[in-house]
Amino acid sequence: MRKLFSAAAMAVAMLSATAANAGAMLFDFDDANSAVNVVSNTPDFCIFGSCKLSADLLDPFANVSIQEGASKTFDFVTFYVSKGFGFDTDARVEAILAFVTPDSAPVGTGGTGAYLRLGGIFTPGVVAGSLVWDNPVQQVTLANGSQFTVAFSNLHGVTFGNSATSKVTITVDSIVPEPASWALMIGGFGMAGATLRMRRALAA
């Protein structure tokens, strides 16, 4: 009888572990191939400084496991504006977020920024403007059919200082279990069924 209970407990544990693994997607970020670059920056008017925009990627990104239907948001890049008094300043930004796991191509986008810098020779000062990504929301389909969405946040408003942080949100849309997970689930159900049949036979 003790062996029967042990087998049943093992089957339940196997099914629970399988369900937990099948319901989450692991994201191991490729910090070496993730990047944000300011490819053009042309202040139309700037005195007492350069009013230049620069970007600092906030890696390394911590690995995360996201359940199906859930989202995680994290800081992606901080933009800085050097001292000066300027306006009508445009910038072009390119961003890449790469992954080791899941095995997918990097997600890339570009963005256009327009800002003015107040404060003259003083740092920090006040920066007002926006950064709008060309295609901020992108869905990725993996080879097995699982899907997740990457959303880059636009920036709008006024910052008291000389920096602003853009975020990224990853949402796991759907997860297709791997063949090994299906086999484990079927084996677990089979073991549970066999245990129940043996208990009924012994009771009879």
Side-chain angles (χ1 to χ4, degrees), residues 38 41 52-56 77-82 115:
V38 180
N41 189 193
K52 285 289 188 178
L53 183 73
S54 61
D56 184 14
V77 59
T78 297
F79 294 97
Y80 299 92
V81 179
S82 59
Y115 62 93

Side-chain angles (χ1 to χ4, degrees), residues 2 33 37 39 55 62 70 78 106 110 115 123 133 139 149 151 166 182 184 188 192 196 202:
R2 185 175 299 174
N33 291 304
N37 297 303
V39 296
T78 297
Y115 62 93
T123 301
W133 299 108
Q139 189 176 67
T149 299
S166 178
W182 283 112
L184 188 59
L196 291 174
L202 287 174

Side-chain angles (χ1 to χ4, degrees), residues 103-177:
D103 185 12
S104 69
V107 176
T109 186
T112 301
Y115 62 93
L116 61 88
R117 171 72 159 80
L118 305 176
I121 62 175
F122 300 105
T123 301
V126 177
V127 176
S130 66
L131 172 67
V132 179
W133 299 108
D134 299 334
N135 48 343
V137 180
Q138 301 177 46
Q139 189 176 67
V140 178
T141 301
L142 304 179
N144 70 347
S146 299
Q147 293 182 323
F148 66 92
T149 299
V150 178
F152 297 88
S153 64
N154 295 325
L155 293 175
H156 298 279
V158 178
T159 298
F160 293 92
N162 67 330
S163 65
T165 300
S166 178
K167 299 178 181 294
V168 164
T169 299
I170 296 178
T171 302
V172 175
D173 303 308
S174 62
I175 297 178
V176 178

